[in-house]
Amino acid sequence: EKGGYASFMLKEIAEQPKAIADTLLGRIDGSGTLSLDEVRIPAEVLREVDKVVVVACGTAFHAGLIAKYAIEHWTRVPCEVELASEFRYRDPILDQRSLVVAISQSGETMDTLMALRHAREQGARVLAICNTNGSTIPRESDAVLYTHAGPEVAVASTKAFLTQLVACYLVALYLGQVRGTKYGDEIRDVVRDLSRISGAVEQVLETMTPVRELARSLAHKNTVLFLGRHVGHPVALEGALKLKELAYMHAEGFAAGELKHGPIALIEEDLPVVVVVPSPRGRSVLHDKIVSNIQEIRARGARTIVIAEEGDEAVAPYADHLVRVPATPTLLQPLVATVPLQVFACELATARGNEVDQPRNLAKSVTVE
Ligand code: F6R
């Protein structure tokens, strides 16, 4: 059933291009118009929405953090992202004009379920993004957009995460479409870019041998840090989470701009630091800033592992290890940049003798609060 792979996790990493394509299937037509019939929340209601609140846990929360960038950019509707386990305890401000997006692979996560129940009690509409047909979270929501990742067996989430991202982009674009934001042309371009993205993920998967070798060579390390800016920040958090849960290592993700406010004190000789670099095209300010962050940590002895777009030559002199990903629009980069981090964690954990499909102390769905 592992289809020749050493673990379900490796199999599920390899299935990501298909999972992405399946999640897009039938939802975008040839002219770049989205049709999300499942989202049964009427267009009039979506037009009145004045706030989006995303609630989720763990990896799904990281998808939510990325959703915020897309939703605010494409719709100009304010978006908050909150850990489901914290949400209802702080008396969040919600009403009929709030759209709550609950993201969950299993559809059974108790923290997320309790958050959405609380949201509905306050009159908010709840849209679930879920991978499991007929599970509790979609049943209790006003509408559901299913991710089509197929069953995810490995405890650590991989293909579900990428399809959650796709679903978040679709929701953001759909909101933009329904509300007729001034970014209509950009939306059509992104729809086109999204339809090519599964090929880009396939390309990343074909170039993972050096990442595997690097991971094995770092198996004796105690700490790995991850840095990113903009949507690269949640990618860094996700890379660190994968390494914690699979390799049982100290791994932390930071916003690169925060380095100088404390974390840079952690940098010491030969400490591996993974840096997710945004595209040099478009938001070039972001790119320049991260190049100087890489220089700062390297000057202090860090071993830099740089994930950067093909053709980005500016980072090359500062990268001890350079991992190339295909060029994508900035907002979509997490779909390609996360893949090397999944492979890295899986290989490093295996090299440490860990059981990657069943990490210690973890369960696939967390049905207690
Ligand atoms: C990490 C992981 C967990 C889940 C989290 C939410 O690899 O799998 O962090 O993402 O427990 O689970 P779902 O998405 O089922 O609500």
Side-chain angles (χ1 to χ4, degrees):
E1 52 198 301
K2 289 180 195 159
Y5 291 92
S7 61
F8 280 106
M9 186 174 176
L10 280 174
K11 174 170 178 268
E12 289 162 7
I13 288 172
E15 284 169 349
Q16 293 183 112
K18 180 170 188 305
I20 291 172
D22 288 349
T23 300
L24 288 169
L25 196 71
R27 290 171 169 167
I28 301 174
D29 74 14
S31 69
T33 309
L34 284 103
S35 46
L36 300 186
D37 300 337
E38 315 106 286
V39 179
R40 291 175 325 230
I41 302 174
E44 311 84 80
V45 173
L46 292 179
R47 273 192 282 271
E48 291 298 309
V49 163
D50 64 1
K51 167 159 101 170
V52 179
V53 183
V54 183
V55 291
C57 304
T59 288
F61 172 72
H62 298 152
L65 292 175
I66 293 165
K68 174 183 168 82
Y69 290 85
I71 290 169
E72 292 194 341
H73 182 68
W74 289 328
T75 71
R76 308 311 295 158
V77 179
C79 176
E80 294 168 21
V81 191
E82 186 139 354
L83 291 167
S85 57
E86 291 290 327
F87 184 65
R88 69 194 173 111
Y89 300 105
R90 69 169 179 88
D91 196 10
I93 302 165
L94 297 165
D95 59 30
Q96 290 81 346
R97 297 181 68 184
S98 314
L99 176 67
V100 171
V101 179
I103 310 175
S104 175
Q105 188 286 129
S106 62
E108 301 296 345
T109 301
M110 189 55 77
D111 287 314
T112 310
L113 180 61
M114 297 312 276
L116 83 82
R117 281 185 185 160
H118 183 77
R120 292 193 80 190
E121 280 162 17
Q122 316 302 307
R125 308 284 175 136
V126 177
L127 169 64
I129 291 177
C130 184
N131 196 48
T132 311
N133 258 298
S135 54
T136 311
I137 287 171
R139 273 207 320 271
E140 294 206 15
S141 299
D142 294 284
V144 52
L145 184 64
Y146 280 108
T147 49
H148 294 158
E152 194 179 59
V153 177
V155 165
S157 190
T158 54
K159 61 176 181 171
F161 176 65
L162 293 201
T163 60
Q164 282 161 357
L165 289 179
V166 169
C168 289
Y169 295 131
L170 289 175
V171 167
L173 294 168
Y174 185 66
L175 266 181
Q177 179 177 295
V178 167
R179 298 167 67 95
T181 59
K182 59 185 167 162
Y183 293 93
D185 286 345
E186 187 180 350
I187 290 176
R188 271 186 292 278
D189 290 348
V190 181
V191 162
R192 190 202 53 221
D193 293 323
L194 257 181
S195 60
R196 295 179 184 151
I197 209 86
S198 99
V201 173
E202 189 78 63
Q203 236 177 294
V204 177
L205 288 170
E206 283 161 11
T207 57
M208 287 295 96
T209 306
V211 172
R212 293 205 167 90
E213 285 163 7
L214 173 64
R216 286 196 291 273
S217 76
L218 298 175
H220 63 287
K221 291 284 185 186
N222 296 317
T223 299
V224 179
L225 302 183
F226 295 78
L227 301 178
R229 280 181 176 263
H230 194 264
V231 290
H233 175 219
V235 173
L237 298 177
E238 174 61 7
L241 177 61
K242 289 284 99 89
L243 206 57
K244 282 175 210 167
E245 64 180 335
L246 295 167
Y248 319 148
M249 282 168 87
H250 171 224
E252 262 190 276
F254 300 108
E258 269 295 292
L259 264 184
K260 56 185 174 302
H261 301 292
I264 200 163
L266 289 168
I267 307 291
E268 55 186 22
E269 199 56 36
D270 211 36
L271 177 78
V273 184
V274 179
V275 189
V276 181
V277 179
S279 166
R281 301 162 297 114
R283 269 163 245 257
S284 55
V285 190
L286 262 182
H287 181 267
D288 297 349
K289 288 258 159 65
I290 210 149
V291 173
S292 43
N293 295 139
I294 301 173
Q295 288 172 277
E296 282 156 18
I297 56 169
R298 202 152 179 270
R300 289 161 180 81
R303 167 134 47 133
T304 56
I305 302 163
V306 175
I307 315 233
E309 186 172 297
E310 277 155 14
D312 178 355
E313 295 313 325
V315 291
Y318 312 109
D320 295 307
H321 307 272
L322 188 53
V323 181
R324 291 294 190 187
V325 291
T328 58
T330 304
L331 282 170
L332 303 189
Q333 198 202 32
L335 287 169
V336 291
T338 304
V339 177
L341 306 186
Q342 299 167 338
V343 172
F344 181 75
C346 186
E347 191 70 26
L348 209 153
T350 307
R352 284 163 78 98
N354 298 353
E355 170 49 70
V356 291
D357 287 339
Q358 289 288 340
R360 68 184 182 199
N361 309 339
L362 291 173
K364 186 64 186 164
S365 61
V366 184
T367 52
V368 290
E369 258 189 289

